[in-house]
C-alpha cells in the first residue's frame, strides 16, 4: 500500500505533466495564431458551452474509458500489450454479427448476447498473444502489433465480401443492426448515448476485480515481481494469459459499444486509433481504474476543444495532437517519478537518523 505522501507525489507529477503539455500547446497557439486568445478560449471553454458539446465529450470518452481499462489491466500484470486496437475490431465484428444475424428475439435478451459475444471475441483474440508470451516467451509488443493488422485487414476483407450490405451504397459495411438493440440516448434531446453507463459500470467492475479479489491480487503481484509470485506458488503463465484475455474482452466491449452507440453497424476502419489512445489513457492514469475515468474524460475534452477551436478560430485541431504527444512523453518519463520517490526515500532515511 502506498503512503499518502507517495500518492501525492505521483498525482502531483501527473498534474505537472498535464499542465506542461497544455502550456506547450498554448505556446504553439501564441506563435502561430493571429487571434491566440480566441483560440485558447475556444479550446478551454467552448466544450462546455452547449449540451451538444458535452454529449460529444461523453460519447468520445466511452471507448477511451473502456480501452484505457483494458490496457490498465494487462499493464498491471507486467505485459505491455499494444493489441487493444485489434481486439476492439474483432470484438466489434463478432458482436455485430450477433446483432445482425441472430434470430429475432427480445431486445432484453438480444442486446446482452451481443455484448457477451463481443467480449468473448476480444478475449479469444487476446488469448493468442497471451499464450505466445506465457509459453514461448514471444515479445508481446511485436505479436500484439502484428495481430492488430491481422484483425483490421481480416474484418475489412469480410465486410467487403461475405458480409457486405447489399444496400451499402458502395461502402464497406454490414447490414444495419436492429434499432431495438442500439444504445438509447442518455436524455431526450441530448446526443450522448447510454454507453457512458456501461463504461462507468466497467470502471467499478475492474476496480473490484483488481483490488478486491484474489485474481486481481495475483495479477498485480505477477506484474510487480514475477519471480516472487512464482516462488509463492502462483501460476504466473496462467495469470498472464488470463490478464490478456480480460483485457481483450474489455477492448471487445469498447468496440461493440462504439458500434451500438455511434455507427449502428460494423464499418471498415471505424476506429480512429481508439486502442492506441487507450495506451495513453492507461499511462496517464497510472493504470488505476478511477484514474482511467478521469484521464479519458480529460482526453475527450481536449479532442472536443480542438474541434471547437478549429471552428471558432484560425487554429487547426492538430494542436490537440501536440498536447497529446507531450502528455505521452512527460507521463511516460518514469525517471521523473523515480527521482521524486528516491528523494522522498532519502528524506525519510535522514528523518530516522
Amino acid at each position: 500500500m502506498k503512503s499518502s505522501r507517495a500518492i501525492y507525489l505521483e498525482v502531483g507529477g501527473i498534474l505537472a505533466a498535464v499542465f506542461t503539455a497544455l502550456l506547450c500547446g498554448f505556446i504553439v497557439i501564441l506563435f502561430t495564431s493571429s487571434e491566440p486568445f480566441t483560440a485558447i478560449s475556444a479550446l478551454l471553454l467552448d466544450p462546455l458551452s452547449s449540451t451538444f458539446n458535452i454529449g460529444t465529450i461523453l460519447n468520445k470518452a466511452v471507448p477511451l474509458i473502456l480501452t484505457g481499462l483494458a490496457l490498465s489491466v494487462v499493464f498491471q500484470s507486467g505485459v505491455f500489450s499494444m493489441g487493444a486496437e485489434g481486439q476492439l475490431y474483432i470484438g466489434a465484428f463478432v458482436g455485430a454479427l450477433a446483432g445482425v444475424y441472430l434470430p429475432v428475439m427480445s431486445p432484453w435478451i438480444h442486446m446482452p448476447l451481443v455484448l457477451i459475444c463481443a467480449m468473448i471475441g476480444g478475449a479469444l483474440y487476446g488469448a493468442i498473444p497471451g499464450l505466445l508470451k506465457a509459453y514461448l516467451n514471444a515479445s508481446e509488443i511485436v505479436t500484439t502489433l502484428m495481430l492488430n493488422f491481422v484483425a483490421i485487414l481480416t474484418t475489412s476483407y469480410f465486410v467487403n465480401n461475405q458480409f457486405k450490405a447489399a444496400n451499402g451504397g458502395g461502402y464497406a459495411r454490414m447490414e444495419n443492426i436492429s434499432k431495438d438493440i442500439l444504445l438509447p440516448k442518455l436524455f431526450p434531446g441530448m446526443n450522448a448515448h447510454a454507453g457512458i453507463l456501461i463504461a462507468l459500470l466497467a470502471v467499478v467492475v475492474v476496480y473490484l476485480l483488481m483490488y478486491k479479489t484474489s485474481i486481481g491480487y495475483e495479477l498485480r503481484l505477477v506484474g510487480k515481481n514475477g519471480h516472487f509470485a512464482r516462488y509463492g506458488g502462483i501460476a504466473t503463465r496462467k495469470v498472464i494469459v488470463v490478464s490478456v484475455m480480460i483485457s481483450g474482452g474489455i477492448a471487445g466491449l469498447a468496440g461493440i459499444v462504439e458500434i451500438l452507440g455511434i455507427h449502428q453497424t460494423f464499418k471498415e476502419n471505424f476506429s480512429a486509433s481508439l486502442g492506441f489512445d487507450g495506451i495513453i489513457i492507461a499511462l496517464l492514469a497510472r493504470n488505476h481504474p478511477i484514474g482511467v475515468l478521469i484521464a479519458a474524460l480529460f482526453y475527450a475534452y481536449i479532442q472536443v476543444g480542438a474541434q471547437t477551436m478549429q471552428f471558432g478560430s484560425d487554429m487547426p485541431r492538430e494542436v490537440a495532437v501536440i498536447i497529446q504527444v507531450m502528455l505521452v512523453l512527460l507521463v511516460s518519463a518514469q525517471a521523473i517519478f523515480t527521482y521524486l520517490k528516491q528523494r522522498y526515500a532519502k528524506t525519510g532515511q535522514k528523518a530516522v537518523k
Side-chain angles (χ1 to χ4, degrees), residues 25-26 28-47 49 301 304-316 319:
F26 295 161
V28 172
I29 293 173
L30 287 171
F31 279 99
T32 57
S33 174
S34 60
E35 44 185 3
F37 296 107
T38 301
I40 292 174
S41 173
L43 174 67
L44 295 182
L45 302 180
D46 284 3
S49 63
Y301 187 94
V304 175
Q307 292 175 354
T308 56
M309 180 181 66
Q310 179 170 273
F311 182 76
S313 72
D314 60 349
M315 287 302 296
V319 171

Side-chain angles (χ1 to χ4, degrees), residues 324-344:
Q324 292 164 6
V325 170
M326 289 303 301
L327 271 176
V328 174
L329 292 176
L330 293 169
V331 173
S332 60
Q334 295 287 343
I336 297 174
F337 298 95
T338 303
Y339 172 75
L340 291 173
K341 288 176 182 175
Q342 288 174 345
R343 287 291 302 270
Y344 169 62

Side-chain angles (χ1 to χ4, degrees), residues 28 74 133 164 188 190 218 230 300 311:
V28 172
V74 76
K133 169 70 177 178
K164 186 174 184 178
M190 193 176 188
E218 291 181 358
R230 193 179 303 111
F311 182 76

Side-chain angles (χ1 to χ4, degrees), residues 214-233:
S214 58
I215 297 174
Y217 172 76
E218 291 181 358
L219 195 148
R220 288 184 288 120
L221 187 60
V222 169
K224 290 183 183 299
N225 192 324
H227 296 294
F228 178 79
R230 193 179 303 111
Y231 183 77

Side-chain angles (χ1 to χ4, degrees), residues 175-235:
E175 299 287 349
N176 286 329
I177 297 173
S178 170
K179 292 183 179 178
D180 293 337
I181 61 170
L182 296 179
L183 292 173
K185 299 301 179 189
L186 202 55
F187 300 107
M190 193 176 188
N191 59 329
H193 60 74
I196 188 66
L197 301 178
I198 296 175
L200 291 175
L201 179 62
V203 170
V204 175
V205 171
V206 170
Y207 175 81
L208 294 176
L209 172 74
M210 295 302 295
Y211 296 99
K212 302 295 179 183
T213 67
S214 58
I215 297 174
Y217 172 76
E218 291 181 358
L219 195 148
R220 288 184 288 120
L221 187 60
V222 169
K224 290 183 183 299
N225 192 324
H227 296 294
F228 178 79
R230 193 179 303 111
Y231 183 77
I234 294 175

Side-chain angles (χ1 to χ4, degrees), residues 64-294:
L64 297 175
I65 293 170
L66 293 172
T67 54
L69 287 174
L71 289 161
S72 68
V73 169
V74 76
F75 286 171
Q76 289 212 46
S77 70
V79 180
F80 198 75
S81 168
M82 302 185 76
E85 184 77 357
Q87 293 150 10
L88 178 147
Y89 267 94
I90 294 297
F93 184 76
V94 175
L97 285 177
V100 173
Y101 294 104
L102 280 181
V104 177
M105 62 184 79
S106 166
W108 294 102
I109 299 174
H110 198 180
M111 181 185 281
L113 270 179
V114 169
L115 298 180
I116 291 170
C117 287
M119 294 180 71
I120 291 174
L124 292 178
Y125 198 66
I128 298 172
L131 290 168
L132 292 173
K133 169 70 177 178
Y135 293 96
L136 298 177
N137 199 28
S139 169
E140 69 273 24
I141 297 176
V142 175
T143 56
T144 52
L145 276 175
M146 294 299 102
L147 285 169
N148 284 339
F149 290 107
V150 173
I152 294 169
L153 295 175
T154 302
T155 54
S156 174
Y157 171 80
F158 281 127
V159 87
N160 271 289
N161 294 280
Q162 288 85 350
F163 300 109
K164 186 174 184 178
N167 58 350
Y171 292 98
R173 68 173 181 84
M174 281 188 196
E175 299 287 349
N176 286 329
I177 297 173
S178 170
K179 292 183 179 178
D180 293 337
I181 61 170
L182 296 179
L183 292 173
K185 299 301 179 189
L186 202 55
F187 300 107
M190 193 176 188
N191 59 329
H193 60 74
I196 188 66
L197 301 178
I198 296 175
L200 291 175
L201 179 62
V203 170
V204 175
V205 171
V206 170
Y207 175 81
L208 294 176
L209 172 74
M210 295 302 295
Y211 296 99
K212 302 295 179 183
T213 67
S214 58
I215 297 174
Y217 172 76
E218 291 181 358
L219 195 148
R220 288 184 288 120
L221 187 60
V222 169
K224 290 183 183 299
N225 192 324
H227 296 294
F228 178 79
R230 193 179 303 111
Y231 183 77
I234 294 175
T236 54
R237 289 177 174 174
K238 177 184 173 184
V239 169
I240 288 172
V241 175
V242 168
S243 70
V244 184
M245 290 185 71
I246 293 173
S247 174
I250 301 173
L253 180 64
I256 195 60
V257 168
E258 185 72 358
I259 293 293
L260 296 179
I262 301 292
H263 302 288
Q264 303 184 6
T265 185
F266 185 92
K267 297 177 180 176
E268 182 183 35
N269 298 323
F270 75 93
S271 168
S273 300
L274 294 170
F276 294 108
D277 287 343
I279 297 174
I280 303 174
I281 301 299
L283 289 174
L284 191 60
R286 314 304 281 178
N287 301 324
H288 195 285
I290 306 300
V292 165
L293 174 63
I294 297 170

Side-chain angles (χ1 to χ4, degrees), residues 43-59:
L43 174 67
L44 295 182
L45 302 180
D46 284 3
L48 298 178
S49 63
S50 68
T51 54
F52 178 83
N53 287 345
I54 294 173
T56 305
I57 292 172
L58 294 178
N59 286 345

